[in-house]
Amino acid sequence: MVTPEKKNLSTALNARTIQSSSLGTETIILCHGFGTDQSIWDKIIPLLLAENYSIVLFDWPFSGAVEDKSLYEHSKYTSSFESYADAFITVMDEMGLKDIIFVGHSMAAMIGCIASTQRPNLFKKLVLLCASPRYINDEDYEGGFEREDVEQLISTIEVQFEDWVSAYAPIAVGPNDSDAVDKFGSCLKNMGAQVAVSLAKTVFHSDNRKILQNVETPCTIIQSSNDAAIPVSVGHYLERMIKGVSALKFIDMTGHFPQLTAPHKLAQLLKAVVEFGHPQI
């Protein structure tokens, strides 16, 4: 059963709740990351519904799936993730949700961390999936990119968008799953070049390390063992720096999208988070 939400921002961002025939006792919200939309979770939704969880999804304003393109205000969303956290809190309030299990992929993980410091009652647990607080290397911090690499990346998106999508999608997803690569590439193209440039600047220039010391909601950090965008050291950094209780788990896989290329492994970990508070497998 799919229940669309009929209120304001949640409607504009395609928010919806999916429930199995048996009403679930736990609510999991799946938040997509850079360049995608809620359809990125299509493979994992049936696996979670089989456990009788209630699933909540929505699209961020930058998503190509959002019809009202004016919702992505460049001046509002390019400075930091704070505006995204505000939008998330608004959607949750409109849907009347609290005590959720938040699963944030990529940039959405840091948005969830920020929102948890502002409205902790909304969250029961945080799952940070392929998350990074900062992508640019900084002294003894390994983010994975030099600043000049990021500037070159942004320049390529700006002047060679189609070529960049074709090259970046298999790097991000992993080259051995053509359907998943096509899925991510299609989402990137739907987002469009102008938004992609703006969003890339926001994401790759972001530095959310300081927020980690304020995150008290219990966290499970799930990282890919071979992610071109995020070194394994970032997972250990998150576990070390988050103030509250945290646990780190690596999925043995290549790429940045376990929901596309390792959905069964990810669903197993999420079930463990729901039942035990952290993976015990």
Side-chain angles (χ1 to χ4, degrees):
M1 179 177 66
V2 178
T3 306
E5 302 299 327
K6 298 296 185 181
K7 300 177 184 178
N8 306 320
L9 185 61
S10 58
T11 301
L13 297 182
N14 306 318
R16 59 189 179 126
T17 301
I18 309 176
Q19 296 173 334
S20 62
S21 56
S22 300
L23 186 62
T25 58
E26 297 287 356
T27 298
I28 300 177
I29 182 161
L30 303 174
C31 297
H32 69 84
F34 174 87
T36 60
D37 58 50
Q38 61 180 266
S39 69
I40 208 75
W41 302 104
D42 284 354
K43 289 184 178 181
I44 200 169
I45 289 171
L47 304 176
L48 297 179
L49 289 177
E51 303 296 332
N52 292 327
Y53 305 142
S54 294
I55 310 299
V56 177
L57 304 113
F58 71 97
D59 297 308
W60 293 112
F62 59 76
S63 168
V66 173
E67 292 185 6
D68 185 354
K69 303 306 180 186
S70 68
L71 286 175
Y72 184 74
E73 302 175 44
H74 291 266
S75 60
K76 178 179 181 180
Y77 286 108
T78 54
S79 59
S80 71
F81 289 164
E82 298 287 343
S83 294
Y84 288 102
D86 292 342
F88 175 81
I89 290 170
T90 297
V91 170
M92 295 300 97
D93 285 347
E94 288 180 4
M95 298 177 78
L97 296 173
K98 61 180 181 178
D99 293 327
I100 59 171
I101 297 172
F102 173 94
V103 180
H105 178 243
S106 195
M107 65 178 284
M110 290 299 102
I111 296 170
C113 285
I114 294 169
S116 76
T117 67
Q118 298 172 351
R119 289 282 300 279
N121 66 309
L122 289 178
F123 300 88
K124 187 174 184 178
K125 298 166 186 172
L126 291 170
V127 178
L128 312 182
L129 180 62
C130 297
S132 178
R134 177 183 167 98
Y135 292 87
I136 296 175
N137 300 329
D138 181 26
E139 296 180 355
D140 60 347
Y141 173 80
E142 182 187 8
F145 297 87
E146 296 298 333
R147 185 169 297 275
E148 54 267 29
D149 297 331
V150 168
E151 298 310 320
Q152 181 60 52
L153 170 67
I154 293 170
S155 176
T156 302
I157 298 173
E158 194 165 19
V159 300
Q160 296 176 302
F161 179 65
E162 296 284 338
D163 291 341
W164 171 76
V165 170
S166 297
Y168 179 65
I171 293 173
V173 176
N176 298 323
D177 190 330
S178 59
D179 289 341
V181 170
D182 289 345
K183 173 65 177 177
F184 181 47
S186 177
C187 287
L188 287 173
K189 290 177 181 178
N190 289 340
M191 182 173 62
Q194 185 179 17
V195 174
V197 170
S198 173
L199 186 60
K201 290 178 180 178
T202 304
V203 172
F204 288 103
H205 289 157
S206 67
D207 188 349
N208 294 288
R209 290 176 293 177
K210 288 184 178 180
I211 199 69
L212 301 177
Q213 60 192 357
N214 298 323
V215 176
E216 299 187 10
T217 302
C219 291
T220 299
I221 304 151
I222 301 176
Q223 300 282 56
S224 165
S225 62
N226 185 10
D227 187 338
I230 302 175
V232 296
S233 60
V234 170
H236 294 288
Y237 178 87
L238 288 168
E239 183 183 30
R240 186 169 68 251
M241 299 305 294
I242 287 171
K243 181 178 181 179
V245 176
S246 63
L248 173 62
K249 182 70 178 181
F250 286 97
I251 296 179
D252 185 15
M253 58 165 284
T254 296
H256 190 62
F257 291 88
Q259 65 271 61
L260 287 179
T261 59
H264 289 274
K265 292 180 180 179
L266 177 57
Q268 194 175 16
L269 287 175
L270 293 179
K271 180 183 177 182
V273 170
V274 173
E275 293 186 358
F276 304 113
H278 58 85
Q280 295 186 343
I281 54 179

